[in-house]
Amino acid sequence: ALPIYGSSEDLFRDSIDSCENDITEKVSNLEKKVTELENDNLTNGDLKSKLKHENTQLVHRVHELEELLKDQETRAEQTVEEELRRHREAYSKLEKERGTEIELLNNRVQQLEEENSELLTAVSRLKTQTEKLEEERQRISDKLEDTNLRLKDEMDLYKKMMDKLRQNRLHFQKERDATHELIEDLRKELEHLQLYKLESERPGRGRSSSSSLSEFNAKTREVEMEHEIKRLKMEIGRA
């Protein structure tokens, strides 16, 4: 802003200097002309009077020009002062506006720095959380894989056990059917022995030694069969 003031002031001062030089040059030329006229017409009284009158007029004109020059200088100085005042006011306004703008920019920069710091903190926190989540995901994945392997082993074992159970059931069913057949055969044999016993005990039949032995054998066999039937039933019941 200072160079602007300087250029304006120099411009007005150059204008004033130009006016002064112009007036001075005119005055000098007039003085020279008066001197020439006085030198050329020293003997002519009327001419002297005329020249004196002209000289007086020229002097008055010079005074008028000097007064005009002073007025122009005064107005120029006033114009320069007014221009400087307006420039100072404009400069002060610009400085105030620039100060306000700089303050706003500084506040914005500080706000952005705080937001950037908060974002960096949030990014760091999210990175840490992401790493933890990745570790947890990997741990769960490993655990799930291990669980799947164990489940596969358990399923294989379950299938083997079911196959074994199915085989055992088939085997037990066969044994049970065989046992039922054996019980049925023993029951039939027991019934036959009981009929034989009733026949032997019928009145009017004599007992020989051979019939007594047969009866004894039948009773013994009957007891054995009853015990065998009870044992088989107990085994079937436990199964």
Side-chain angles (χ1 to χ4, degrees):
L2 290 176
I4 296 176
Y5 299 152
S7 61
S8 299
E9 186 176 357
D10 291 340
L11 180 63
F12 285 102
R13 293 193 179 281
D14 289 342
S15 177
I16 293 171
D17 291 339
S18 177
C19 292
E20 289 180 351
N21 292 332
D22 186 49
I23 293 172
T24 302
E25 184 177 356
K26 289 180 179 180
V27 171
S28 178
N29 290 332
L30 289 173
E31 288 178 348
K32 288 180 180 180
K33 186 176 181 180
V34 169
T35 302
E36 290 175 357
L37 290 173
E38 287 178 349
N39 291 332
D40 291 338
N41 299 290
L42 290 176
T43 58
N44 195 336
D46 295 332
L47 185 58
K48 286 182 179 180
S49 177
K50 183 179 179 180
L51 290 173
K52 185 176 180 180
H53 178 71
E54 290 180 355
N55 184 47
T56 301
Q57 290 181 343
L58 288 173
V59 170
H60 287 301
R61 181 60 178 164
V62 168
H63 289 315
E64 291 176 358
L65 291 174
E66 288 178 348
E67 291 295 329
L68 178 61
L69 178 61
K70 288 181 181 180
D71 291 338
Q72 289 180 347
E73 288 179 348
T74 301
R75 285 196 297 270
E77 288 178 357
Q78 291 176 350
T79 302
V80 170
E81 288 295 331
E82 181 66 19
E83 194 70 19
L84 289 174
R85 184 185 63 79
R86 287 191 289 106
H87 281 294
R88 281 195 296 267
E89 290 177 354
Y91 178 77
S92 177
K93 183 178 179 181
L94 288 175
E95 282 291 320
K96 185 177 180 180
E97 291 177 353
R98 188 179 68 174
T100 303
E101 185 176 357
I102 289 174
E103 184 178 0
L104 292 175
L105 290 174
N106 287 332
N107 292 335
R108 181 56 179 166
V109 169
Q110 184 177 359
Q111 181 182 357
L112 291 175
E113 289 177 348
E114 292 176 355
E115 292 177 356
N116 184 55
S117 178
E118 292 176 356
L119 288 175
L120 291 175
T121 303
V123 168
S124 178
R125 183 173 62 255
L126 290 175
K127 183 178 180 182
T128 302
Q129 292 178 354
T130 302
E131 291 175 352
K132 290 182 179 179
L133 290 175
E134 179 63 24
E135 293 176 357
E136 183 68 14
R137 186 197 66 79
Q138 186 62 40
R139 185 183 67 80
I140 293 175
S141 178
D142 294 340
K143 187 175 180 180
L144 181 61
E145 184 178 359
D146 182 65
T147 302
N148 289 334
L149 292 175
R150 290 172 57 188
L151 180 61
K152 184 177 180 301
D153 294 339
E154 292 291 336
M155 290 298 295
D156 293 340
L157 179 61
Y158 174 75
K159 289 180 181 179
K160 291 179 181 179
M161 292 178 65
M162 291 300 294
D163 291 339
K164 183 67 175 177
L165 180 61
R166 193 177 299 108
Q167 293 176 2
N168 290 338
R169 284 179 177 176
L170 292 174
H171 180 70
F172 171 74
Q173 187 65 37
K174 290 180 180 180
E175 289 185 348
R176 188 173 183 178
D177 293 341
T179 302
H180 280 299
E181 291 178 1
L182 178 59
I183 291 173
E184 187 65 26
D185 292 340
L186 291 173
R187 184 180 291 109
K188 289 179 180 180
E189 186 177 352
L190 180 60
E191 290 176 355
H192 179 72
L193 289 174
Q194 288 175 348
L195 289 174
Y196 175 77
K197 180 180 178 182
L198 293 173
E199 185 68 25
S200 299
E201 294 177 348
R202 182 179 301 172
R205 293 189 61 181
R207 292 189 179 183
S208 63
S209 60
S210 59
S211 64
S212 297
L213 180 61
S214 297
E215 184 179 353
F216 175 77
N217 290 334
K219 288 183 177 181
T220 303
R221 181 60 179 162
E222 182 182 358
V223 173
E224 290 178 352
M225 290 174 64
E226 288 177 353
H227 285 301
E228 183 66 18
I229 290 171
K230 289 181 180 181
R231 185 184 67 81
L232 292 174
K233 286 184 177 180
M234 291 178 64
E235 288 183 357
I236 292 174
R238 286 197 300 269

